Amino acid sequence: MLSRDEYLAEWSRWHGGTDPADSRLVHGWLTLAYTLARALSWLPPVAATALGLLVALSAIGPALAGGGWLVAAGLLVGLSGLLDSLDGALALAGGRASRRGYVLDSAVDRLTEAGYATALWAAGAPGWLAAAFGALCWLPDYLRARAGQAGVAETGSISVWERPTRVAMTGFTVGGAGIVAVTGLDQLAGPGAVVTAGTAVGCLLGLVGTAQLGVSLRRALAD
């Protein structure tokens, strides 16, 4: 298995030369995934991919139940994001990376993000806001893919709205609403208000991150 530094370099190569050190959150997230991959090196990457999707979709049920179940929904979201990073770490660090797996992982990422948006709606966010959250999860990666088809090798600098941020915002928003319900703080702000506020903040980060990416890709496409 590759060393951590070799794994990070390989991750950068598969992501258009993006340096994970540009973001502490992304670097820490990848380091955690690599640590788990070393312990679970026997696990096929596709198994982690499939399990991550199932866990993400399973968060919708507790989100619908509301109350203290929202804490469970938040934990499931976080676990699904970790499993998603684990499959990439298993593939890259274990020398099992392939273009087929890369495309499959990207497709599953979009499905899990649809699950996150659905969980936010189930937990109390307005439908239009949850849909906007989901769309802003999809848009940056769509832009990167289209830019790649146009001949841009770089994926742009790391923005404030990368995959770890999307997972964290969803998990903390839903889980935080559950903590509010369990501790009785809902007399100050109900779980629905917490979810709505968190989803709105996520949308704001999505807009900022997409703008950051747009500036970067505009320069690359102008060359």
Side-chain angles (χ1 to χ4, degrees):
M1 177 170 275
L2 301 179
S3 68
R4 190 195 67 165
D5 290 343
E6 290 172 334
Y7 158 67
L8 293 174
E10 189 69 4
W11 182 92
S12 177
R13 187 178 72 83
W14 277 89
H15 292 81
T18 301
D19 187 355
D22 290 343
S23 168
R24 290 185 179 181
L25 177 60
V26 172
H27 188 274
W29 187 269
L30 293 175
T31 299
L32 177 58
Y34 171 77
T35 303
L36 289 175
R38 286 187 63 88
L40 300 171
S41 58
W42 51 267
L43 184 68
V46 68
T49 301
L51 186 58
L53 176 59
L54 290 175
V55 171
L57 297 179
S58 70
I60 298 173
L64 280 169
W69 285 103
L70 293 172
V71 176
L75 291 174
L76 287 170
V77 167
L79 177 59
S80 72
L82 191 55
L83 286 168
D84 169 65
S85 293
L86 174 62
D87 65 0
L90 287 168
L92 293 174
R96 292 176 284 182
S98 67
R99 291 184 296 176
R100 180 186 303 174
Y102 182 75
V103 172
L104 175 63
D105 182 59
S106 296
V108 170
D109 283 351
R110 306 293 79 76
L111 292 175
T112 58
E113 286 164 354
Y116 296 163
T118 304
L120 289 168
W121 167 77
W128 66 270
L129 190 60
F133 183 97
L136 287 166
C137 286
W138 286 35
L139 185 56
D141 293 281
Y142 173 77
L143 291 175
R144 284 184 169 122
R146 294 295 290 175
Q149 291 176 338
V152 176
E154 301 83 5
T155 58
S157 58
I158 294 179
S159 73
V160 298
W161 190 239
E162 301 298 337
R163 175 78 173 165
T165 309
R166 303 168 202 168
V167 175
M169 280 303 305
T170 306
F172 284 130
T173 295
V174 177
I179 292 175
V180 166
V182 169
T183 58
L185 294 175
D186 52 347
Q187 295 178 351
L188 300 176
V194 173
V195 173
T196 299
T199 306
V201 171
C203 287
L204 179 60
L205 289 174
L207 290 172
V208 172
T210 302
Q212 289 177 315
L213 177 62
V215 171
S216 178
L217 292 180
R218 184 175 182 274
R219 294 196 191 104
L221 289 167
D223 293 338

